[in-house]
C-alpha cells in the first residue's frame, strides 16, 4: 500500500488489470492514472496493489475471494482506527474488487464507491449477486472507452440491473486524448 496525508476520509485506490503498481524490472511505480494522482488528492488515499507473493498479480478469482476481503479489511482497520468514512475507487478490472468488497464489507466499513471506466461487462461481474450492496456508487465513464468490458453500453445495462438496490450516479465524459 502506498499512502499520503491524513484527512477526514480514507480512500482506497484499486488499479485495474492485475493490480500491479510496480514495474517488474525497475520496481518503479507504474504510470497509471490512480498512481499519478494519489499524492495530489486532498484526502488520505492508499493505492492497494497486489501482494508481493502474487507474482502475476490479482486474478479475477482472488478479486472476488474472502481472502481479498480479509486483506482489505485489515488495511482499513490499520489505516483507519478513527473510523473515518471509507471510499473504494477502482478502474478497469478493479471493478471486480470494488463490487465484491462493497458486497462483503458493505456499510459496516464503507461510505461509497467509485468506478472509473470500470469493466462491468466481465462475466464475473455479470454473475455477481449484487443485492447485498447498500453503499452508493458513482460511475465515471468515457463515452468512447475502447475496452469492450467498460463500454458505455455495458455500463448503462449494468446500472439498469442494479438501480433498484444501489444508489447510483453516472457521469459520462467526452474529449481528451486517447490512452
Amino acid at each position: 500500500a502506498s499512502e499520503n496525508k491524513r484527512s477526514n476520509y480514507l480512500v482506497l485506490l484499486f488499479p485495474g488489470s492485475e493490480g500491479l503498481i510496480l514495474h517488474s524490472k525497475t520496481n518503479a511505480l507504474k504510470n497509471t492514472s490512480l498512481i499519478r494522482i494519489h499524492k495530489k488528492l486532498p484526502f488520505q488515499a492508499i493505492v492497494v496493489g497486489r501482494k508481493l507473493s502474487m507474482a502475476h498479480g490479482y486474478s479475477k478469482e482472488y478479486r472476488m475471494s474472502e481472502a481479498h476481503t480479509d486483506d482489505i479489511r485489515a488495511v482499513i482497520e490499520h489505516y483507519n482506527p478513527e473510523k473515518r468514512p471509507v471510499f473504494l475507487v477502482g478502474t478497469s478490472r478493479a471493478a471486480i474488487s470494488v463490487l465484491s468488497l462493497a458486497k462483503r464489507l458493505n456499510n459496516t466499513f464503507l461510505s461509497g464507491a467509485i468506478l472509473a471506466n470500470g469493466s462491468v461487462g466481465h462475466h464475473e461481474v455479470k454473475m455477481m449477486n449484487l443485492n447485498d450492496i447498500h453503499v452508493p456508487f458513482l460511475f465515471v465513464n468515457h463515452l468512447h472507452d475502447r475496452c469492450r468490458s467498460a463500454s458505455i453500453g455495458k455500463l448503462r445495462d449494468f446500472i439498469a440491473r442494479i438501480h433498484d438496490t444501489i444508489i447510483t450516479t453516472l457521469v459520462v465524459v467526452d474529449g481528451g486524448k486517447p490512452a
Side-chain angles (χ1 to χ4, degrees):
S2 173
E3 69 166 307
N4 62 0
K5 62 205 129 320
R6 287 255 185 229
S7 71
N8 294 330
Y9 305 98
L10 175 63
V11 178
L12 302 183
L13 305 170
F14 293 86
S17 193
E18 289 82 28
L20 303 174
I21 62 173
L22 297 176
H23 284 287
S24 57
K25 292 180 181 168
T26 64
N27 275 343
L29 282 176
K30 285 186 156 199
N31 191 26
T32 68
S33 56
L34 289 181
I35 292 171
R36 281 194 308 270
I37 68 165
H38 96 278
K39 292 214 181 252
K40 299 175 184 175
L41 297 172
F43 42 78
Q44 185 178 18
I46 299 173
V47 178
V48 182
R50 61 116 172 131
K51 294 170 151 182
L52 294 177
S53 61
M54 296 178 160
H56 300 291
Y58 289 159
S59 65
K60 293 175 189 175
E61 294 76 21
Y62 175 75
R63 286 185 181 278
M64 296 186 307
S65 72
E66 194 63 43
H68 186 38
T69 303
D70 291 343
D71 290 343
I72 299 308
R73 185 180 291 116
V75 169
I76 292 170
E77 289 172 349
H78 176 79
Y79 287 101
N80 196 29
E82 56 275 277
K83 310 242 184 283
R84 297 168 289 161
V86 175
F87 296 88
L88 305 178
V89 177
T91 62
S92 190
R93 193 181 303 163
I96 298 169
S97 285
V98 170
L99 289 163
S100 182
L101 292 165
K103 179 179 173 156
R104 286 198 170 99
L105 297 174
N106 228 315
N107 53 4
T108 304
F109 279 90
L110 304 179
S111 295
I114 300 169
L115 289 180
N117 290 6
S119 297
V120 297
H122 277 292
H123 174 74
E124 292 78 7
V125 172
K126 290 179 185 176
M127 301 311 296
M128 280 184 190
N129 176 353
L130 302 172
N131 294 330
D132 295 332
I133 296 177
H134 301 289
V135 296
F137 265 77
L138 170 64
F139 297 93
V140 180
N141 234 68
H142 195 280
L143 182 61
H144 304 290
D145 192 304
R146 294 184 197 159
C147 176
R148 288 188 310 260
S149 295
S151 71
I152 195 67
K154 295 249 167 90
L155 180 57
R156 286 186 172 134
D157 291 346
F158 177 76
I159 290 173
R161 180 179 142 212
I162 64 170
H163 84 280
D164 287 338
T165 56
I166 302 171
I167 297 171
T168 60
T169 301
L170 170 61
V171 175
V172 179
V173 297
D174 194 5
K177 295 179 183 176

